Amino acid sequence: LAPVPAAVPPGDQVAGRLVLEDNFDAGPGKSGLEDEGRGKESTRGFHSPGVYHFLLAHPDETRHVALPRFAVSNFTLEIEVWDNSDDFTGSMSAGVVFRARDNDHFYAFLIDPRTFQYSVRKYDAPDKWTDLAPWTQSDFINGRAEHNMVRVDGDGDRFSITLNGQPLYSFSDGSYPFGMLGMI
């Protein structure tokens, strides 16, 4: 995670200072993310090798978490996401949240590695989603358990999203000028 003075084209170096680099091997000490342990009841937490996971118990369940120690306005976020399910039936999406003001106000970029689709959404209130980019097919999405490198650059009300090194989507929205970054 690094703040930037302007949106950075894919592949360019980030202008700014690095504020967090974490491979999740150290647990919650560095990021401040919640760790509910390793039991079957755990809905989120850390496990080797360097993974932060969500375990969903019910269909159509959504979980997200924000890095509590890092609120930013201009930023570059890079993270590796993948589907580590026991089987690959049904649909599934994973991704990032950004400019999260609280649990009910944030932007989200999601990919579904089973259907090779992505979406950009805004969460405005409990159970109130707005599609900024409806679910769209993309050849840039690696499927199933293959890893996907997600990058989101935010500069003021402009955002650009890169997936696996390829420019994917850009949009403007000024609803949330500042907030935390996280995963969904």
Side-chain angles (χ1 to χ4, degrees):
L1 308 174
V4 295
V8 178
D12 285 358
Q13 291 295 319
V14 175
R17 70 180 172 82
L18 183 66
V19 294
L20 175 67
E21 183 174 12
D22 194 348
N23 65 6
F24 299 127
D25 276 341
K30 192 176 208 179
S31 66
L33 292 171
E34 293 180 57
D35 188 6
E36 294 180 349
R38 295 173 181 20
K40 288 197 179 251
E41 299 79 33
S42 172
T43 59
R44 61 182 164 197
F46 298 86
H47 68 82
S48 294
V51 173
Y52 191 81
H53 76 274
F54 292 100
L55 176 63
L56 305 182
H58 309 287
D60 300 321
E61 187 175 12
T62 301
R63 296 217 181 240
H64 66 277
V65 64
L67 294 159
R69 299 178 185 156
F70 303 97
V72 295
S73 54
N74 297 339
F75 67 93
T76 292
L77 165 66
E78 289 184 311
I79 191 165
E80 192 174 8
V81 298
W82 68 95
D83 180 355
N84 194 36
S85 300
D86 293 332
D87 68 54
F88 298 103
T89 59
S91 66
M92 173 279 198
S93 59
V96 295
V97 297
F98 47 101
R99 299 259 181 92
R101 287 186 4 204
D102 53 40
N103 281 332
D104 297 323
H105 300 90
F106 56 83
Y107 300 105
F109 170 69
L110 300 161
I111 59 171
D112 183 336
R114 298 179 190 175
T115 64
F116 299 93
Q117 295 183 324
Y118 73 90
S119 179
V120 178
R121 307 184 84 194
K122 181 168 55 171
Y123 198 56
D124 292 314
D127 299 318
K128 185 178 179 218
W129 289 98
T130 301
D131 284 332
L132 301 173
W135 286 102
T136 304
Q137 290 287 140
S138 174
D139 293 336
F140 302 145
I141 297 173
N142 294 324
R144 295 186 160 215
E146 294 180 60
H147 294 212
N148 287 281
M149 185 60 69
V150 172
R151 177 175 169 163
V152 179
D153 291 295
D155 178 22
D157 64 354
R158 297 175 306 150
F159 302 90
S160 59
I161 298 170
T162 305
L163 182 62
N164 297 318
Q166 301 297 317
L168 186 69
Y169 189 77
S170 295
F171 71 98
S172 292
D173 188 282
S175 298
Y176 309 131
F178 185 84
M180 296 174 284
L181 306 171
M183 298 165 285
I184 188 166

